[in-house]
Amino acid sequence: MRFFPYDRPYENQREAMDRIHNTLGRGQNVLFEGACGTGKTLSSLVPALEVARERDKTVVIMTNVHQQMRQFVAEARAITREEQIRAVVFKGKSSMCHIDVGYEECQALRDNTRAVVDTERDREQLERRQRELLAESQDGDGSAADARSAVMDELEEIEERLEDLEEQNVCDYYRNNLTEDTDDFFGWLFEDVRTPDEIYEYAEQQQFCGYELLKEGIEGVDLVVCNYHHLLDATIREQFFRWLGRDPDDVIAVFDEAHNVEDAAREHATRTCSERTFDSALDELADADDPRSEDAANVLSAFHRALVETYEDSFGFGDREGIGENWEDVPIANEDRKDDLTLEFLQRYSGRGIEDDLEAAMKLGQELDEQYEEAYREGETATRTECQTLGAAGFVSAWMSESSAEGLYPVVSVTRDAGTDEIYGRAELYSCLPRQVTGQLFDEIYATVLMSATIQPFDVTENVLGLEDAVTMAYGLQFPEENRRTYAVETPPLFSSDRDDPAVQEEVTETIRDAVRMTPGNTLAFFPNYGEAGRYGERLERETDGTVYLDEPGVSVEELRQQFVADDDAVLCTSLWGTLAEGVSFDGDDAHTVLVVGVPYPHLDDRAEAVQDAYDVAFDGTDTGWRYAVEIPTVRKTRQALGRVIRSPEEVGVRALLDRRYSRSAKSDLGKYSVNGTFPHEEREELIDIASDKLKFAMLNFYGGHDAYDSEPPAP
């Protein structure tokens, strides 16, 4: 309890901490589901810090949700008031750089700057030595005069080298890191838990590079708060552990909102290469005075032409005109043969051999990249040029060797440039199996806690992420059951084929209107997509007295949220796949009722089918892919949305699922289309089946029984 910063734990929190402590002490992994009010963060962080202190480990806690990052900082600060820990909050270089340069440029600037500073120090030492020798020679020491002459020769060489170095690009902020006293910075850093923004501002005032100082100060700390990619990206992870001064086995990893790890791992494993990269690579090769450039251009131009022909051949009448600014997939995979892009590439290629030409392109690309590095170091260019040949050749090599590998799905996508109105494409190796990323990570590190309010079913999470020997625990809502009601409202199933039915729309709108009218305050309404949110938002504007707020792509979500919570009789319509569905709390009177309208299945495109097929193969089941890749993630999204309200023991609220597929009574006639059985048992037991025209009476009785109405209750 020395790391627990408050008077006493919540109910079940002490038990969760004990179990997690014992599990981590054995070096095992934990899958931890806890509803709002279970104190998941401290339940995981407190025992992790205790085990780390006992066994000389470092705790790394991660999230991909900004609000949770702020929560971690608040908890870490509270802990430091009780027990001294050294904690840092780490973000990527791009958000902390004072001069806004890329990674390669930054690396070159660091090397140049360090070379200048080291040479200046050498000069100072030689100047000091020559003064000492001068004094000795003036006292009559003949050998000192000879030695001083040699030192002066070295000084002359140093001066010439320094003159050359000072013409190169350097970073003044990093130079100050190397030449000024930074003790005050580190003293300030560990007085409290500092956010990246605070570090940036403090470093800017002192003209230091805060990011580089943070990297230096991170070694041996007790706790690091960071984003997923610091551990999910293999290259970043290797550097990150080096900065920590830790081997993987010295790290305890805590993943918050762990239901998102699957998609995040898939994203980190996916590789893409744009048509414009090939354009730039071919221009680069045309300017290269090297005999290998012809072979390199031969193979890259063939792939480039194949990419263009593949998406051009896919366009039917009017398709080209319909391409927008978002990437749109062109299906190219085939069941019985190579994908269309590979076949087109093989047909178009002519040369001495694809492997030989790619090897020539890779070697030439590496040499060009070194030349760009040197030119930037020497100050010949203002920015560090990226070698496009190296990137394009590496991608084509991976495409030819990996496109048929397990879990990788080849894709071609197209988009329209808003500025030029030009259509261009990209090739992509889409990763279907996240465990190919996470499985290796979990094997390397000491232990892991994966926590979320919606991580069940545990066996699915274990299989998908490649987690072995995990200890599982789940704690439901700890708040009084009498303060909430959860309804499965038997409105018509909103199958995509029925959404345009006027009768369906009328019944759903009337049910939403009833729920909004019976709510003593604000109502949140989540829909399967932004289109449906807009459809019902417009209908509600015509049929309700309160304000209707509509969340749309491109609209500031935080501004919309603030307007909504400042109201007292409003409804907010949004997509369940938007940013308001998780990681955002609506506490107190912000919202009292939450509605999930329909079962929000994702768009089932070829990628989704590829993931299902990969899961079917990997987990030996014909229905496994649908369950693992579609149904369970969809219900998790629904459960996340339900958790936006009732955030404390005192709050009173209604959670309603508007679609017959959620009801227990419809399981027999809807069969596989029913999702009731996908909910965890304890949540399923809370679901109350209710007819759509009865919802208003149930809500009136519930809220009236809690004296929630400020004045007379609305008439049903």
Side-chain angles (χ1 to χ4, degrees):
M1 292 296 292
R2 60 176 166 174
F3 292 108
F4 192 81
Y6 306 117
D7 291 340
R8 57 190 177 89
Y10 291 140
E11 183 181 353
N12 291 329
Q13 195 174 31
R14 181 61 179 262
E15 177 190 336
M17 289 191 292
D18 286 342
R19 292 188 64 191
I20 292 174
H21 176 266
N22 294 335
T23 303
L24 295 180
R26 297 191 297 268
Q28 289 180 275
N29 300 309
V30 178
L31 286 175
F32 173 29
E33 177 170 300
C36 179
T38 54
K40 291 187 297 297
T41 299
L42 286 178
S43 295
S44 301
L45 185 54
V46 165
L49 287 170
E50 180 64 33
V51 172
R53 182 69 59 87
E54 293 168 355
R55 298 174 180 267
D56 188 26
K57 309 293 183 185
T58 291
V59 178
V60 179
I61 186 167
M62 294 153 289
T63 185
N64 64 342
V65 179
H66 293 303
Q67 182 164 314
Q68 288 302 105
M69 184 75 76
R70 293 192 290 270
Q71 173 73 15
F72 292 165
V73 172
E75 301 288 23
R77 284 174 172 166
I79 290 171
T80 60
R81 307 293 186 267
E82 302 297 321
E83 180 75 14
Q84 184 60 42
I85 62 171
R86 296 173 74 239
V88 297
V89 184
F90 205 81
K91 288 182 74 174
K93 189 198 78 64
S94 61
S95 63
M96 297 186 68
C97 182
H98 299 272
I99 59 175
D100 193 24
V101 296
Y103 175 78
E104 298 290 346
E105 290 174 312
C106 180
Q107 185 176 28
L109 288 173
R110 289 198 313 270
D111 293 343
N112 282 352
T113 306
R114 183 173 289 280
V116 170
V117 171
D118 288 345
T119 305
E120 288 175 340
R121 287 172 178 166
D122 290 343
R123 181 179 63 181
E124 290 173 6
Q125 291 176 355
L126 288 171
E127 287 177 340
R128 186 167 54 250
R129 180 57 178 156
Q130 73 88 11
R131 288 193 296 269
E132 293 171 353
L133 290 170
L134 176 62
E136 292 174 10
S137 65
Q138 289 173 343
D139 290 339
D141 186 343
S143 62
D146 293 337
R148 180 174 179 272
S149 177
V151 169
M152 294 301 291
D153 289 341
E154 286 187 59
L155 259 175
E156 185 176 349
E157 293 177 6
I158 286 284
E159 291 286 2
E160 291 176 359
R161 184 159 71 240
L162 190 57
E163 186 176 335
D164 291 338
L165 287 171
E166 287 176 342
E167 293 179 358
Q168 299 178 5
N169 291 313
V170 296
C171 176
D172 291 332
Y173 288 91
Y174 185 58
R175 182 189 183 102
N176 292 335
N177 286 12
L178 301 175
T179 58
E180 303 295 331
D181 186 353
T182 58
D183 288 348
D184 287 346
F185 174 87
F186 288 113
W188 168 84
L189 178 66
F190 292 115
E191 280 178 354
D192 203 343
V193 181
R194 309 296 186 182
T195 67
D197 289 341
E198 290 170 337
I199 293 170
Y200 180 93
E201 292 173 5
Y202 187 91
E204 178 69 28
Q205 293 172 3
Q206 305 299 318
Q207 293 293 287
F208 289 140
C209 175
Y211 178 73
E212 290 298 323
L213 288 178
L214 191 60
K215 282 166 52 178
E216 293 176 23
I218 200 174
E219 184 171 354
V221 297
D222 302 295
L223 172 66
V224 182
V225 180
C226 61
N227 296 316
Y228 282 176
H229 66 262
H230 286 97
L231 260 62
L232 292 182
D233 187 295
T235 302
I236 296 176
R237 179 168 72 241
E238 183 179 351
Q239 294 176 334
F240 187 61
F241 286 161
R242 187 168 63 250
W243 298 333
L244 281 175
R246 293 293 198 177
D247 292 327
D249 192 53
D250 295 322
V251 171
I252 298 173
V254 181
F255 284 89
D256 183 55
E257 303 291 350
H259 59 280
N260 290 321
V261 171
E262 176 182 352
D263 286 340
R266 186 177 290 123
E267 180 181 339
H268 279 89
T270 295
R271 302 181 62 171
T272 63
C273 193
S274 166
E275 178 183 336
R276 293 188 166 176
T277 299
F278 287 102
D279 289 334
S280 299
L282 292 171
D283 290 341
E284 187 176 57
L285 290 170
D287 294 335
D289 185 16
D290 189 289
R292 292 168 296 182
S293 61
E294 184 176 348
D295 292 336
N298 184 47
V299 67
L300 296 185
S301 64
F303 197 91
H304 174 265
R305 293 195 306 273
L307 173 60
V308 174
E309 284 300 318
T310 299
Y311 71 70
E312 289 287 356
D313 288 347
S314 72
F315 292 153
F317 180 76
D319 287 348
R320 168 178 279 277
E321 291 70 25
I323 300 298
E325 296 175 23
N326 296 321
W327 287 102
E328 298 180 29
D329 288 352
V330 174
I332 61 169
N334 301 297
E335 292 184 3
D336 56 348
R337 57 195 177 100
K338 291 283 189 180
D339 63 271
D340 293 343
L341 175 54
T342 301
L343 293 174
E344 186 71 29
F345 172 50
L346 294 174
Q347 182 176 346
R348 288 186 168 275
Y349 173 79
S350 61
R352 61 193 180 103
I354 291 176
E355 290 186 9
D356 290 341
D357 283 356
L358 283 174
E359 183 179 359
M362 290 290 289
K363 289 182 177 179
L364 177 56
Q366 289 166 355
E367 292 181 16
L368 290 172
D369 198 55
E370 291 170 3
Q371 292 173 20
Y372 298 151
E373 175 84 7
E374 184 66 21
Y376 184 66
R377 287 179 189 272
E378 297 293 335
E380 297 171 7
T381 57
T383 58
R384 204 285 193 185
T385 304
E386 299 290 331
C387 181
Q388 304 300 312
T389 298
L390 187 60
F395 179 82
V396 175
S397 179
W399 182 277
M400 296 306 294
S401 62
E402 300 173 14
S403 59
S404 59
E406 180 189 12
L408 289 178
Y409 181 68
V411 182
V412 167
S413 306
V414 292
T415 189
R416 185 183 299 276
D417 187 302
T420 64
D421 203 41
E422 173 191 358
I423 300 288
Y424 65 99
R426 73 178 180 192
E428 178 177 352
L429 283 174
Y430 180 67
S431 179
C432 298
L433 298 175
R435 69 178 184 180
Q436 293 175 338
V437 173
T438 53
Q440 179 184 358
L441 170 64
F442 298 146
D443 287 342
E444 290 177 353
I445 58 181
Y446 175 75
T448 303
V449 180
L450 294 158
M451 62 177 182
S452 169
T454 58
I455 204 170
Q456 294 192 74
F458 291 129
D459 61 327
V460 174
T461 301
E462 288 178 298
N463 288 340
V464 167
L465 298 182
L467 197 66
E468 297 181 359
D469 300 323
V471 173
T472 62
M473 57 191 74
Y475 297 92
L477 268 174
Q478 304 301 299
F479 306 147
E481 288 190 28
E482 61 269 21
N483 285 358
R484 66 182 185 269
R485 288 291 184 273
T486 309
Y487 297 109
V489 185
E490 295 185 330
T491 53
L494 283 178
F495 295 114
S496 57
S497 58
D498 296 331
R499 289 177 185 171
D500 292 329
D501 187 327
V504 170
Q505 292 179 18
E506 184 61 33
E507 181 172 346
V508 171
T509 302
E510 182 67 17
T511 306
I512 297 173
R513 189 181 68 82
D514 286 345
V516 172
R517 194 160 52 86
M518 294 300 163
T519 298
N522 290 339
T523 301
L524 280 167
F526 292 97
F527 295 86
N529 52 57
Y530 285 109
E532 289 297 290
R535 183 205 298 270
Y536 286 97
E538 291 175 2
R539 294 179 69 99
L540 288 171
E541 284 182 337
R542 298 193 298 265
E543 301 180 28
T544 59
D545 296 329
T547 306
V548 177
Y549 294 92
L550 179 60
D551 179 18
E552 299 175 285
V555 173
S556 171
V557 172
E558 182 55 26
E559 289 182 13
L560 182 68
R561 189 192 70 82
Q562 290 178 5
Q563 293 174 10
F564 170 68
V565 300
D567 213 323
D568 58 4
D569 186 23
V571 56
L572 172 57
C573 298
T574 184
S575 168
L576 192 129
W577 297 96
T579 56
L580 291 173
E582 61 177 280
V584 179
S585 299
F586 292 85
D587 303 318
D589 292 328
D590 289 353
H592 285 287
T593 295
V594 58
L595 310 175
V596 175
V597 183
V599 179
Y601 287 120
H603 177 56
L604 299 180
D605 55 15
D606 290 320
R607 289 176 192 250
E609 291 186 8
V611 173
Q612 292 179 61
D613 292 342
Y615 282 173
D616 281 339
V617 172
F619 305 121
D620 299 322
T622 54
D623 292 329
T624 305
W626 170 262
R627 181 168 177 262
Y628 280 23
V630 180
E631 186 170 284
I632 289 172
T634 297
V635 171
R636 282 176 178 159
K637 276 288 186 183
T638 301
R639 296 174 63 210
Q640 283 285 331
L642 292 181
R644 295 314 93 206
V645 300
I646 313 177
R647 310 287 294 183
S648 71
E650 298 78 23
E651 291 182 27
V652 172
V654 167
R655 308 179 302 175
L657 301 166
L658 275 59
D659 192 301
R660 284 194 67 230
R661 287 172 287 182
Y662 290 113
S663 70
R664 182 183 294 106
S665 61
K667 290 170 67 175
S668 58
D669 58 303
L670 285 176
K672 69 176 184 178
Y673 298 110
S674 169
V675 295
N676 180 273
T678 309
F679 285 80
H681 173 75
E682 62 276 10
E683 292 184 21
R684 216 163 45 237
E685 290 300 302
E686 275 203 36
L687 280 174
I688 301 171
D689 290 359
I690 191 169
S692 59
D693 59 348
K694 304 298 183 188
L695 177 64
K696 58 186 175 183
F697 299 106
M699 291 182 63
L700 177 64
N701 291 335
F702 172 76
Y703 281 123
H706 285 83
D707 296 324
Y709 297 109
D710 292 334
S711 55
E712 285 295 317

